[in-house]
Amino acid sequence: VQLVESGGGLVQPGGSLRLSCAASGDTQNTAYMAWFRQFPGKDREGVAAIHRDGRTKYGDRVKGRFTISRDSAKTTLFLEMNSLKPDDTAMYYCATGVYCANVLSPSEYDTWGQGTQVTVSS
C-alpha cells in the first residue's frame, strides 16, 4: 500500500483545513487508518483513527474539533480540522494497519505516508 497526504498549509488561528490521504496498491489490508502528528523533537502523537466498519477514536487534544472519515471505497482518508490553534502546528501523517489493539499508538501501524505540514499562525 502507498499513502499520499495532501491538504496541509498555513491557516490562521480559528480557521479550518481538510487533509486527505489517498491509498493505492493492495488496499485489502487497510482495516485501520489513522492520522498522527509530530512536533519538532517529539514522538508521533495519535490524532484520530477509524476502522473499516466506521468506528472512530480521537486524541484528547482534538476531540470536538477534528473529524476523521473515509470515502465509500475505503481508499481515501480525510481529517476535517476546525477551530485550529497554534498548538496544532505539526507534520501530519496518515497510516494504515491490519490489527490495532491501541488504535492511537504509532507502533500499531505498518504503512505511513510522507506527511503534510500544517501551520497555524497569524
Side-chain angles (χ1 to χ4, degrees):
V1 176
Q2 293 78 45
L3 302 174
V4 178
E5 302 97 334
S6 61
L10 173 65
V11 62
Q12 291 188 339
S16 300
L17 275 178
R18 189 190 198 208
L19 304 184
S20 299
C21 173
S24 60
D26 183 5
T27 59
Q28 293 295 319
N29 292 321
T30 57
Y32 292 90
M33 295 189 78
W35 289 99
F36 293 83
R37 62 186 181 185
Q38 190 164 23
F39 308 105
K42 303 289 187 181
D43 292 336
R44 288 183 185 180
E45 170 186 288
V47 175
I50 186 168
H51 187 265
R52 183 177 290 270
D53 64 9
R55 286 175 291 153
T56 60
K57 185 167 185 176
Y58 293 90
D60 289 340
R61 300 212 291 177
V62 305
K63 280 180 184 175
R65 298 189 297 124
F66 291 10
T67 303
I68 190 171
S69 61
R70 294 172 80 158
D71 69 343
S72 57
K74 306 292 191 287
T75 58
T76 304
L77 182 69
F78 303 100
L79 185 69
E80 188 75 35
M81 305 186 294
N82 298 313
S83 303
L84 282 162
K85 308 173 183 179
D87 287 350
D88 295 316
T89 296
M91 183 70 79
Y92 284 71
Y93 298 88
C94 71
T96 68
V98 180
Y99 303 107
C100 299
N102 181 353
V103 298
L104 292 181
S105 172
S107 63
E108 301 278 4
Y109 293 82
D110 48 31
T111 302
W112 293 82
Q114 293 300 306
T116 185
Q117 177 69 36
V118 172
T119 302
V120 184
S121 174
S122 55

